[in-house]
Every structure is written in C-alpha cells, then in structure tokens.
Amino acid sequence: VTVKPPAPVPFLYPGLGADPRKSRVQELSDQVSAEDKARIDAWAAKYGNAENAWQLWDDEGGEYLAEALNGKSELGVLDEAQMVYLSDQVAQMWQRAGSGENISEAVSGISDNPQGRKALAMAFADSEAGNAQHYAKGGSTISDPDASKARFEMLLQAIDLDPEATLEAFDGVEVYL
C-alpha cells in the first residue's frame, strides 16, 4: 500500500477562496441606495481626512464623522445601514492614512450614541474580520506597517465601543479575535 503525502495548502491571494458569505458590514451596505451611496461617498471624500491648517494641520476627520453619525452634518439623520456604510468608507481611508487622531476623535465624539458606536465598531472591526476569514482558509496577507497599526488601533477601539458588534463582525472566525 502506497500512502501519498497530503497536498500542500496553496497560497491564497486576497479575494480568492474567500468565504462566500458577506460580512455584516457588506450586507448592511447593500441596503443603501445608489443615490445615498454617492452622497455619502462625496461627503467622505470631502471630510474623511479633513485637516485644519489654522491649528497646525489638526486632523478633523474623526470629529466630522462623529457629527455625521450623531445626525449633525449635511447628511442629516442616517439609518443603521447608512451609518455603517459611512463608517466603513471613512475607516478604509484611515487604514491607508493611519490616522490615530481621527480614530480617537471619532470614538470620543459618539460616546453617547449607541447606534453610532455599533456602526463604528462594525466598520472598525470589518477589515481585521475579513483578514481572519482569509487566514482561516490558509491564506496570508501582506501589509505595510502604517496600515497594520491603524487596523489594530481600530480593532481595539471596536472592542471598547461595542464588543457584541465586534463579535458579529468576526462571525465564524471568533478564534482569531
């Protein structure tokens, strides 16, 4: 009897072999109309990485996001799906920028808003939850140190903001949390 060794696990590139289930953030984002997505995207492009040059380039994107999640921006009052979509769009910007100031100011600005806290926690946890889904299938990722630092900071903040929403983002791969 000849025994064959097990086949090696192939390297999975991001997006390949991913769990066919959508994340909760994706499910909620799919509920936002194309018109509202365009309006939110325009707002995020304008305010997501806003800076105040008069205060020595003070990052203000987090303050703007908190105001929007609290219903005090030109976007008006947002429903749950719109809040999650907005938070996710801005969180993706901050992963590239690595802005700790924006992250902490957004968190402190929504401390009294349970819906805003949940939306921001889900968006902050979503990136690492997506990576965890990928790792669970034997994949790996390559990331720059600034992006990794920002994602880790967002994950820590997500756990503090709303642990239940963070667990919801990691559905099926909680062990990686």
Side-chain angles (χ1 to χ4, degrees):
V1 173
T2 306
V3 178
K4 291 184 178 180
V9 176
F11 175 84
L12 297 176
Y13 292 95
L16 296 178
D19 191 328
R21 295 177 301 164
K22 289 186 175 184
S23 74
R24 184 70 178 132
V25 169
Q26 291 168 327
E27 289 174 355
L28 287 167
S29 294
D30 286 348
Q31 296 174 16
V32 179
S33 71
E35 179 181 299
D36 285 340
K37 282 183 180 179
R39 191 171 57 94
I40 291 169
D41 290 345
W43 185 95
K46 182 176 182 180
Y47 296 109
N49 280 319
E51 293 182 335
N52 184 340
W54 295 105
Q55 293 182 346
L56 301 174
W57 303 108
D58 176 38
D59 289 335
E60 293 188 340
E63 295 168 47
Y64 282 115
L65 178 59
E67 288 176 7
L69 293 174
N70 288 323
K72 299 177 182 174
S73 76
E74 62 200 52
L75 293 172
V77 176
L78 303 172
D79 65 25
E80 179 187 21
Q82 293 167 331
M83 286 174 150
V84 169
Y85 180 77
L86 171 61
S87 297
D88 187 49
Q89 296 308 300
V90 175
Q92 289 178 34
M93 296 169 84
W94 294 346
Q95 288 175 29
R96 290 187 289 276
S99 177
E101 182 180 351
N102 280 333
I103 294 166
S104 64
E105 288 177 349
V107 169
S108 65
I110 59 162
S111 60
D112 296 331
N113 178 347
Q115 295 85 6
R117 292 171 63 87
K118 181 177 181 178
L120 194 57
M122 289 178 76
F124 278 1
D126 190 60
S127 176
E128 284 303 309
N131 284 346
Q133 291 283 351
H134 189 66
Y135 302 148
K137 295 198 170 295
S140 61
T141 60
I142 299 172
S143 182
D144 68 80
D146 289 336
S148 295
K149 180 180 175 186
R151 282 194 311 273
F152 184 71
E153 175 64 23
M154 286 184 204
L155 181 57
L156 291 177
Q157 292 291 349
I159 293 167
D160 286 342
L161 279 169
D162 192 325
E164 188 175 323
T166 304
L167 279 173
E168 189 176 340
F170 276 78
D171 183 39
V173 288
E174 294 88 351
V175 70
Y176 288 91
L177 188 59

